[in-house]
Amino acid sequence: MQKNLIAKIKESLGSVLPVTAVVFLLTVTIVPVSGELFFMFFVGTVMLIVGIGMFTLGADTSMIIIGEKIGARLTQSRKLGLIFPICFIIGVLVTVAEPDLTVLAEQTPIVDSQVMIWSVGIGVGIFLVLAFLRIFLQFRISVLFIIFYSIVFIFACSPLISADFIPAAFDSGGVTTGPITVPFIMALGVGLSSIRGDKTSEEDSFGLVALCSIGPIITVLILGAMNSTESFQQELSHPNSYDTISQAFGEFIDSFPHYFKEVASAILPVVIFFLIFDAIFLRLDRKTMLKIFVGLAFTYMGLVIFLTGANVGFMPLGQYIGESLAGGRFSWVLIPVGMLIGYFIVSAEPAVHVLKQQVETITEGRISARALGTSLALGVAVSVGISMLRVITGISIMWFLIPGYALSLIVTFFVPTIFTSVAFDAGGVASGPLTATFLLPLAMGACSAEGGDIAANAFGIVAMVAMTPLLTIQILGLISRFKTVQEVPPIPQTDTAAVQAFPITLDESCDKVIILDVSGRSVSA
């Protein structure tokens, strides 16, 4: 366990250091900060590295195992009357437990935070049921995306919805897929699809996260239709100032009890549900249960350390940088700076590590973690750049979301299905806690300095981060498909004797050529 933890911390070190270096260069060049604020950022960075390492180790040995076993058991039962309510309960519980959803809800001025959290949870629960039904009925996932996103945009363009609700609605779809939801729901999908064991099970392992991201958008838009259409204005609170480094460090100490309680209340319902499910259906042996609970302990401590570092160390500096850049003579610098931070910050998201590992394992390396990470980083860089442009100009988010999703859905017809599922999953995964605690405050600080509408212009950055990877990863799929076609060797000319010596046949699905030697054994496929 110790060796695995060290390996995970080294991995997270490589992910967090690049974005730390970018922010450090900003603070010593164009955005000078106080020693206390920089100290808080440095401590937050160390906590992020340790927290991500502990969380990913814990997720590997607890959340993923729990999700896979529950998913496999549900599929074996074949009882829809059991499967649907359990999927709904799981969806609600893991979403309400999501820490970055709480961060977003507490920063959103348009509706009470608890109302928003539970509305989002219900949306995820409903769509998790629909996602399982898709696997059960073998319905093409791209068709579902087209149907549901068409409903979303028709609803969003309705005069019943306040313009201030639209960015928050799409943001809520992004933050629901965070460090607790992603490992659990992805593993649930693996468990649900693995029982069949046919050739489509690999594709069905992905897509649940993407479908679950749609539900919150719809439920928050419904909240928008139920509330008045008045414009919401929010006064941005400024970070606390500290006279000494010891006072700044004391902020971390004072914040720990809050996050101990928050993470415990988030994970406890999931643990209780698992224990009840195990007692009734699974009855796992002691060794497996011990491994799971050790993993849960690492998951818990990792999230506590990560969230404390992100909220106390990262959030204030993100807001300060946004205010400083937008309040200066060259506010356009926000765009390249935002793109640079976006490119590196996605690698530090805990759920991104889980996704890359799951994708590379399930596809047996055909979609490498490195290629997936690069595609994600490019997508997030573009999305943050567009978001900073919106902050400066006040352009409506719909001018980007509608063509972006339309193009993404059109591309689904030309790429392998697994790339579509992974791309839509990755879009949600990319918008995790660091997006909510650094990029969103960055946009809010810039918007405040520009005198813009925070609800309409700053919110929406999470939605943009969730959208652009849909295109970049599907482009990766197009490149992969083109390379595969180019690498297929031509069938050599041969004579009749050679054909008799190496007879050719087709496999049962008629999509693969098998060459047999004289003894009837397969020598090529």
Side-chain angles (χ1 to χ4, degrees):
M1 184 68 75
Q2 184 178 355
K3 290 182 179 179
N4 291 336
L5 178 60
I6 293 173
K8 293 292 184 182
I9 290 177
K10 285 182 179 179
E11 183 180 313
S12 64
L13 179 67
S15 301
V16 175
L17 279 185
V19 69
T20 305
V22 171
V23 175
F24 174 75
L25 288 175
L26 285 175
T27 59
V28 297
T29 53
I30 58 178
V31 190
V33 300
S34 66
E36 291 77 19
L37 189 57
F38 183 79
F39 171 77
M40 293 181 71
F41 175 75
F42 174 77
V43 174
T45 298
V46 175
M47 294 177 73
L48 254 65
I49 292 169
V50 176
I52 292 173
M54 293 183 68
F55 169 80
T56 51
L57 177 62
D60 288 347
T61 55
S62 61
M63 303 295 283
I64 291 176
I65 294 176
I66 292 172
E68 287 181 354
K69 290 190 178 298
I70 291 177
R73 183 64 182 84
L74 287 176
T75 308
Q76 285 176 329
S77 70
R78 300 287 181 178
K79 297 177 180 178
L80 298 183
L82 172 68
I83 293 170
F84 288 173
I86 288 181
C87 282
F88 177 78
I89 293 170
I90 290 173
V92 174
L93 289 180
V94 297
T95 303
V96 173
E98 196 57 66
D100 42 336
L101 173 59
T102 302
V103 172
L104 177 71
E106 290 176 350
Q107 295 182 82
T108 304
I110 59 175
V111 70
D112 180 76
S113 61
Q114 288 301 311
V115 172
M116 185 171 183
I117 288 171
W118 283 98
S119 298
V120 168
I122 291 171
V124 172
I126 293 171
F127 270 75
L128 184 58
V129 173
L130 293 176
F132 171 76
L133 195 59
R134 182 201 76 82
I135 294 177
F136 191 76
L137 299 177
Q138 284 296 279
F139 204 74
R140 185 177 173 87
I141 196 167
S142 58
V143 176
L144 287 180
F145 287 146
I146 291 171
I147 292 172
F148 288 123
Y149 275 111
S150 298
I151 293 172
V152 164
F153 284 108
I154 291 172
F155 196 19
C157 293
S158 167
L160 297 173
I161 309 297
S162 168
D164 288 331
F165 270 89
I166 295 173
F170 281 92
D171 279 355
S172 69
V175 297
T176 52
T177 48
I180 290 180
T181 310
V182 169
F184 200 91
I185 291 184
M186 284 193 66
L188 185 67
V190 173
L192 290 171
S193 58
S194 63
I195 292 299
R196 292 200 324 274
D198 56 26
K199 65 175 66 177
T200 62
S201 62
E202 179 188 88
E203 298 170 359
D204 290 339
S205 299
F206 304 100
L208 269 76
V209 171
L211 285 172
C212 289
S213 299
I214 302 174
I217 303 175
I218 295 176
T219 52
V220 175
L221 288 175
I222 292 172
L223 284 179
M226 295 169 60
N227 286 270
S228 63
T229 57
E230 61 177 307
S231 180
F232 295 87
Q233 295 295 329
Q234 182 182 22
E235 290 293 329
L236 190 64
S237 60
H238 293 275
N240 296 330
S241 58
Y242 304 96
D243 296 326
T244 63
I245 287 179
S246 61
Q247 286 184 354
F249 187 75
E251 184 71 17
F252 288 96
I253 304 300
D254 295 340
S255 299
F256 263 117
H258 169 73
Y259 292 107
F260 273 119
K261 181 180 177 181
E262 182 177 296
V263 176
S265 62
I267 292 182
L268 189 59
V270 179
V271 175
I272 292 173
F273 174 82
F274 167 67
L275 290 175
I276 295 172
F277 192 89
D278 176 71
I280 299 174
F281 300 105
L282 297 176
R283 296 184 178 89
L284 299 176
D285 58 79
R286 287 186 179 181
K287 184 178 180 180
T288 303
M289 291 295 288
L290 178 61
K291 181 179 180 181
I292 288 174
F293 274 96
V294 170
L296 285 171
F298 274 95
T299 302
Y300 173 74
M301 286 304 303
L303 273 179
V304 170
I305 295 171
F306 175 88
L307 288 174
T308 306
N311 284 281
V312 180
F314 267 56
M315 186 181 289
L317 187 59
Q319 181 180 323
Y320 180 83
I321 290 174
E323 289 179 337
S324 300
L325 291 177
R329 293 176 55 192
F330 305 103
S331 58
W332 58 268
V333 175
L334 270 170
I335 298 174
V337 168
M339 292 182 70
L340 191 62
I341 293 174
Y343 181 87
F344 290 111
I345 206 168
V346 68
S347 299
E349 291 285 7
V352 169
H353 290 263
V354 177
L355 176 72
K356 291 193 295 186
Q357 180 181 336
Q358 288 277 67
V359 170
E360 188 168 64
T361 300
I362 293 173
T363 63
E364 297 178 345
R366 287 183 291 109
I367 304 178
S368 70
R370 183 176 180 180
L372 184 62
T374 302
S375 300
L376 265 174
L378 290 172
V380 173
V382 171
S383 64
V384 178
I386 293 173
S387 298
M388 294 302 108
L389 177 65
R390 287 186 58 242
V391 167
I392 296 171
T393 61
I395 300 174
S396 170
I397 194 173
M398 299 303 285
W399 287 103
F400 299 101
L401 290 182
I402 292 177
Y405 274 99
L407 185 57
S408 300
L409 292 171
I410 291 171
V411 174
T412 63
F413 293 101
F414 304 97
V415 300
T417 303
I418 190 168
F419 277 94
T420 297
S421 300
V422 170
F424 277 81
D425 276 357
V429 169
S431 49
L434 280 181
T435 301
T437 57
F438 191 87
L439 293 181
L440 182 56
L442 178 75
M444 292 173 71
C447 194
S448 176
E450 289 279 340
D453 185 343
I454 292 177
N457 298 331
F459 286 90
I461 188 170
V462 179
M464 293 300 303
V465 168
M467 182 195 72
T468 46
L470 311 186
L471 281 172
T472 55
I473 292 178
Q474 288 194 102
I475 290 172
L476 177 66
L478 287 174
I479 295 172
S480 173
R481 181 173 229 174
F482 178 76
K483 284 184 176 180
T484 301
V485 172
Q486 291 292 99
E487 291 172 1
V488 172
I491 299 176
Q493 297 293 325
T494 184
D495 54 25
T496 306
V499 171
Q500 290 176 347
F502 299 97
I504 299 174
T505 184
L506 294 174
D507 70 344
E508 294 179 359
S509 61
C510 296
D511 61 2
K512 189 186 297 183
V513 176
I514 299 174
I515 301 176
L516 307 177
D517 63 11
V518 291
S519 64
R521 293 177 300 178
S522 172
V523 296
S524 177

